[in-house]
Amino acid sequence: MPFPPPSRTPWGVRRRSLIVSAASAAVLAGCSAAPDSKAGGGSTSVSARARARAARDSEALLRQYDAVLAAHPALTERLRPLRAEVAAHAAAFTEGASGGGTATGSPSATASADLSSASPEVPADERSALAALAAAERGLADRRAKELLDVPGELARLLAGVSAAGSAHAYLLTEGEK
């Protein structure tokens, strides 16, 4: 009995779905609102500062996605799943903040968030806008990969998962160029 002909679905869509699913699984495995198991005197404050910074970075990246979507509505279908994951990353970092409050609740954190809340500049053409998003994702993923060496257990796993997801996002944003 002969096999049916292959479907005409392009391979890029399947590969993209696989990468996003793998990155999501890694993040979900690392996402935990539980406090870090190392409750040493300095590690808690280091952990709290790292969480707050990671939450602010994710929120800034989310604003960048929103700005690109506002400037280029035709990219909505392509960017919606990536934006949703960035929002989930921001929530994961915020949920794990001490006291269950938001990670950006301190006066200094709020002041720096206000400074970075200005709407990001968006390139006029879609390709450049996607490249700018990819560069932001890649830069943030690289920073988080370096930071995870300085934080304890659960937060390190969360940073590793979110860093991996950011790298996958950068790849997906630039995949169409090839």
Side-chain angles (χ1 to χ4, degrees):
M1 172 174 205
F3 290 107
S7 70
R8 296 290 176 187
T9 305
W11 282 98
V13 174
R14 289 183 184 168
R15 182 176 57 206
R16 180 179 301 138
S17 299
L18 177 65
I19 290 171
V20 170
S21 297
S24 297
V27 170
L28 290 177
C31 286
S32 171
D36 295 319
S37 59
K38 287 187 180 179
S43 68
T44 302
S45 64
V46 168
S47 181
R49 284 192 307 269
R51 273 189 188 277
R53 183 175 43 253
R56 284 191 309 271
D57 289 345
S58 289
E59 290 163 359
L61 184 59
L62 195 58
R63 284 190 298 277
Q64 191 167 354
Y65 269 92
D66 290 341
V68 170
L69 287 167
H72 303 287
L75 295 173
T76 299
E77 194 65 32
R78 182 173 181 181
L79 297 181
R80 185 179 325 152
L82 302 178
R83 186 205 177 277
E85 282 192 12
V86 171
H89 300 162
F93 288 119
T94 302
E95 288 170 5
S98 61
T102 64
T104 57
S106 72
S108 61
T110 304
S112 65
D114 289 343
L115 292 175
S116 64
S117 64
S119 184
E121 299 254 345
V122 178
D125 65 298
E126 290 179 0
R127 186 175 179 169
S128 296
L130 290 173
L133 271 178
E137 286 272 16
R138 194 174 299 110
L140 187 53
D142 290 346
R143 256 194 344 265
R144 286 178 171 163
K146 290 176 187 170
E147 287 177 358
L148 69 89
L149 300 173
D150 300 326
V151 296
E154 286 297 316
L155 182 55
R157 284 188 283 279
L158 179 59
L159 281 170
V162 174
S163 177
S167 294
H169 291 180
Y171 171 78
L172 293 173
L173 289 166
T174 57
E175 181 183 61
E177 294 176 7
K178 296 178 171 111

